[in-house]
Amino acid sequence: MSQTPHKAGFVSIIGKPNVGKSTLMNVMVGERLSIITSKAQTTRHRIMGILNGDDFQIVYSDTPGIIQPKYELHQSMMRFVHASLEDADVILFVTDIYEKHDEEEIVARLQKTSVPILLLINKIDQATQDDVLLKIEYWKDKVPAKEILPISALEKKGTDKIFELILQYLPEHPAFYDKDELTDKPERFFAAEIIREKIFLLYKKEVPYSCEVVVEEFKEDEKIIRMRADINVERKSQKGIIIGHKGEMLKKVGTMARKDLEEFFGKQVHIELYVRVNENWRTNQKALNRFGYNQE
């Protein structure tokens, strides 16, 4: 009896900020790997989520939203996007029903690629059928997509069809990673991301964008994980905002993060948080290197 050939490859999820790339990635992998908030630009790294089956391995890449870089951090974020396009076997180009159609640079790049593109119009749960048809019509001539799919990542509508199409276009190849691996990132990375997500949820305006979380200590035994994390801010005034009156805000970050960390790791977590001023780290190459932004 002939054996089913094994398929494996890299699927790059790209699009502008806030179109639902991270929600889609988490749905496709079946795990909460990417942080999700209503604020734009919460994803800063390329995060891989690996989905394994007996005869396939899909390596999804959630990438930062495509933006015009304003400073060094943004340039590093865009390098993650371009690296994910370079090794992609399938591209998921995510737009949404509110799209303003101002991503000319990426559209120009997609027009030149030979990689199969699936164009996804997300958030159809917030639109009428006519709106959806207009969007499909608009995109038909813009991007050489193999398929245009209206989806709702939040409500998991249309996501099964994406999976079927990815398998169809994935090349025959042995697995790239061990079959029991879920991601290429270490546990410390996800711990830091969960803490950073709480900062995005609790603070307003520029403050969350000026923060970077680094887990400096991560000690795990059978029953408990003990970790110490630094919240790096750019200015002294931001340090006061993060800590809050009598340390109340920082305590809130710790309480919210601990709840999610315990769920993520499946065991008790003890967490200590410190706030440090790392002046203008977003424009400082040395700091960006230390925070893992210039690795690709």
Side-chain angles (χ1 to χ4, degrees), residues 179-212:
K179 283 290 187 113
D180 57 358
E181 282 194 47
L182 182 64
T183 180
D184 64 325
K185 292 276 188 276
E187 290 177 322
R188 278 178 189 236
F189 173 85
F190 292 105
E193 286 288 273
I194 286 168
I195 298 163
R196 196 166 66 84
E197 179 185 57
K198 304 309 164 220
I199 294 167
F200 266 92
L201 293 171
L202 287 169
Y203 300 90
K204 293 184 172 70
K205 296 181 181 165
E206 180 63 14
V207 172
Y209 296 99
S210 301
C211 292
E212 181 64 29

